[in-house]
């Protein structure tokens, strides 16, 4: 079965092999050397002033960012489940919360953000997804971050890059906290989250908040290549292998270019056979199609073509399907997925099969 869900994504064979070594004790020079190398590679990937690894799923890093960087009121952007989660975290942690809510296909505007921070002077942090995975949407995070910092440089900008870090180049100039998670673009099993932090964020963190997710405690330890609590040793070994594999396969810039091309080719191919791309501003991480037959298409893909794509949640359940583009994906696999969608439409009697989807896909991928 081809796993084409936008998280979890497939773990490459060499990464699985790297993680099959005997369990290592985390307080050893041997593991600290691996930790140090991984940390160095993460600094390169994030380009931030500090990086922290946490043993948790992505939501743990979202909570750590909110509790350590917001001391009063959090502005969150809800254009989907993950954006909504930032607001829920704030409330659960006793913070105040202002939310900008849009339909799941609609990116937030810079003006709406500016309006919210001007009318709510207590907002001291904003949290937004770069790629909102619920509908495959790209928010204009870099422009938002710039406008927020021009208005008030003390407002912390938290960017959830769980389906963006490793997918596309992110300009972090005005971002204080950039979050990544293991099971999406980083091609690992779930359980590891990473935060890239600015110096301004480090100032605000001070002595940190909370206990397990106290970022000051973690940073103090991780600068010495160890962790406050037991490290996710196996996942960190896997992460180093992933980052080295990306380098060996031409580097991160090449991965960004390849991913962008695959995403564009997929969207154009599916539009060419009459399908509709759901988000108004699609993220590179995935292609989301809204269609009355979404459930049936997913079933045919699974049963007849061994392809597993994701559906939608909440009010989009049964109404969309999402095709992953994150990771080192061979083009022939995505070509198979695109062709399978075309065959599914033919099975549903909607369109006579003529190979159009693959023709367009290949033209964009291999044409000039
Ligand atoms: C997957 C995901 C998360 C984190 O979810 P976990 O299940 O906690 O790993 C957060 N934000 C986005 C945009 C995601 O896609």
């Amino acid at each position: 079965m081809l796993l084409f869900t936008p998280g979890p994504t497939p773990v490459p064979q060499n990464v699985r092999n790297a993680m099959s070594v005997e369990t290592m004790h985390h307080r050893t020079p041997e593991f600290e050397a691996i930790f140090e190398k991984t940390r160095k590679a993460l600094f390169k990937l994030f380009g931030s002033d500090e990086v922290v690894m946490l043993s948790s799923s992505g939501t743990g890093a979202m909570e750590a960012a909110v509790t350590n960087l917001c001391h009063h009121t959090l502005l969150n952007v809800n254009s989907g489940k993950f954006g909504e989660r930032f607001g829920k975290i704030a409330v659960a942690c006793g913070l105040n919360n202002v939310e900008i809510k849009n339909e799941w296909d609609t990116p937030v505007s810079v003006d709406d953000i500016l309006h919210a921070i001007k009318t709510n002077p207590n907002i001291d942090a904003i949290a937004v997804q770069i790629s909102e995975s619920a509908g495959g949407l790209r928010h204009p995070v870099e422009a938002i971050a710039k406008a927020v910092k021009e208005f008030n440089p003390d407002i912390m900008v938290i960017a959830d890059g769980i389906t963006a870090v490793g997918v596309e180049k992110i300009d972090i100039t005005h971002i204080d906290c950039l979050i990544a998670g293991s099971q999406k673009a980083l091609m690992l099993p779930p359980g590891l989250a990473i935060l890239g932090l600015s110096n301004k964020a480090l100032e605000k963190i001070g002595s940190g908040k909370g206990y397990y997710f106290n970022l000051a405690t973690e940073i103090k330890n991780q600068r010495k290549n160890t962790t406050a609590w037991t490290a996710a040793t196996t996942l960190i070994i896997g992460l180093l292998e992933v980052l080295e594999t990306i380098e060996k396969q031409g580097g991160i810039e090449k991965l960004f270019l390849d991913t962008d091309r695959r995403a564009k080719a997929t969207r154009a191919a599916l539009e060419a056979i009459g399908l509709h791309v759901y988000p108004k501003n699609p993220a590179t991480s995935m292609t989301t199609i809204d269609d009355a037959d979404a459930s049936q298409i997913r079933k045919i893909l699974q049963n007849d073509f061994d392809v597993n794509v994701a559906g939608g949640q909440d009010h989009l359940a049964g109404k969309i399907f999402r095709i992953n583009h994150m990771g080192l994906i061979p083009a022939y696999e995505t070509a198979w997925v695109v062709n399978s969608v075309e065959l599914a439409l033919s099975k549903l009697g909607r369109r006579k099969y003529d190979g159009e989807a693959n023709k367009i896909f290949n033209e964009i991928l291999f044409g000039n």
Side-chain angles (χ1 to χ4, degrees):
M1 183 76 74
L2 281 182
L3 181 60
F4 259 82
T5 57
T9 59
V11 181
Q13 180 70 56
N14 64 308
V15 176
R16 298 203 300 274
N17 289 347
M19 291 188 295
S20 71
V21 293
E22 276 182 60
T23 298
M24 215 179 261
H25 196 280
H26 55 293
R27 310 280 181 210
T28 54
E30 198 186 1
F31 181 70
E32 282 167 19
I34 292 169
F35 193 92
E36 185 176 9
K37 268 196 197 171
T38 313
R39 207 171 126 79
K40 276 203 183 120
L42 284 175
F43 270 108
K44 205 174 152 205
L45 176 68
F46 279 71
S48 52
D49 298 317
E50 189 53 80
V51 296
V52 195
M53 290 176 251
L54 297 175
S55 309
S56 76
S57 86
T59 307
M62 292 168 76
E63 178 166 334
V66 169
T67 53
N68 285 270
L69 294 173
C70 179
H71 296 165
H72 199 285
T73 303
L74 181 80
L75 172 66
N76 71 298
V77 170
N78 176 354
S79 293
K81 276 214 102 60
F82 295 102
E84 178 187 49
R85 189 171 300 174
F86 270 128
K88 289 185 170 174
I89 290 170
V91 172
C93 296
L95 295 160
N96 296 315
N97 168 232
V98 175
E99 180 173 274
I100 301 175
K101 195 172 176 176
N102 281 308
E103 190 38 64
W104 290 14
D105 64 348
T106 308
V108 71
S109 73
V110 176
D111 284 348
D112 284 353
I113 296 274
L114 282 177
H115 177 76
I117 56 177
K118 282 175 186 166
T119 47
N120 300 279
N122 285 327
I123 291 171
D124 62 332
I126 78 152
V128 58
Q129 275 56 39
I130 296 174
S131 153
E132 168 54 80
S133 317
L137 171 79
R138 177 66 155 92
H139 284 297
V141 175
E142 293 91 338
I144 291 168
K146 186 164 184 282
V148 168
K149 290 294 180 183
E150 274 166 10
F151 175 71
N152 179 357
D154 291 334
I155 297 179
M156 290 287 117
V157 177
I158 301 167
D160 170 357
I162 291 176
T163 51
V165 175
V167 173
E168 54 172 313
K169 180 110 198 127
I170 300 155
D171 177 5
I172 60 153
T173 313
H174 304 286
I175 293 175
D176 295 296
C177 174
L178 177 63
I179 302 169
S182 55
Q183 81 275 26
K184 308 279 174 79
L186 296 176
M187 298 171 269
L188 288 165
L192 189 71
I194 305 145
L195 299 99
L197 297 161
S198 70
N199 283 328
K200 192 116 183 123
L202 297 178
E203 271 173 45
K204 178 125 187 201
I205 290 167
S207 57
K209 284 268 161 60
Y211 189 76
Y212 185 76
F213 286 132
N214 183 315
L215 290 179
T217 314
E218 271 308 334
I219 290 164
K220 197 174 116 222
N221 281 280
Q222 297 196 14
R223 281 179 176 165
K224 292 183 278 186
N225 297 312
T226 187
T227 49
W229 327 117
T230 306
T233 47
T234 307
L235 289 171
I236 292 170
I237 290 167
L239 177 58
L240 182 59
E241 183 72 17
V242 164
L243 297 173
E244 287 178 350
T245 304
I246 292 172
E247 280 308 311
K248 272 182 219 145
Q249 297 203 10
I252 194 75
E253 298 292 336
K254 178 174 183 296
L255 177 57
F256 290 158
L257 278 175
D258 288 349
T259 309
D260 184 59
R261 252 193 171 186
R262 250 187 298 110
K264 282 188 177 134
T266 302
R267 281 202 294 275
L270 299 184
E271 282 176 330
I273 55 170
L275 293 172
H276 179 253
V277 172
Y278 173 68
K280 288 174 188 155
N281 185 27
T284 307
S285 55
M286 68 194 78
T287 294
T288 304
I289 299 293
D290 56 324
D291 195 279
D293 294 327
S295 287
Q296 294 222 57
I297 293 171
R298 279 184 67 216
K299 247 181 234 149
I300 296 172
L301 291 181
Q302 196 147 39
N303 296 337
D304 299 357
F305 302 108
D306 277 338
V307 173
N308 186 1
V309 300
Q313 290 174 289
D314 292 0
H315 65 295
L316 290 185
K319 296 191 174 142
I320 58 166
F321 63 92
R322 294 172 295 153
I323 299 170
N324 175 53
H325 301 305
M326 294 177 279
L328 293 156
I329 302 177
Y332 60 80
E333 287 190 0
T334 308
W336 173 257
V337 174
V338 162
N339 190 52
S340 303
V341 174
E342 184 177 342
L343 286 164
L345 292 188
S346 147
K347 278 180 182 265
L348 289 168
R350 284 178 41 173
R351 193 183 171 281
K352 187 173 154 25
Y353 179 80
D354 60 3
E356 178 71 7
N358 254 189
K359 177 175 171 285
I360 300 292
F361 182 83
N362 286 327
E363 268 174 16
I364 294 177
L365 217 64
F366 304 110
N368 293 305

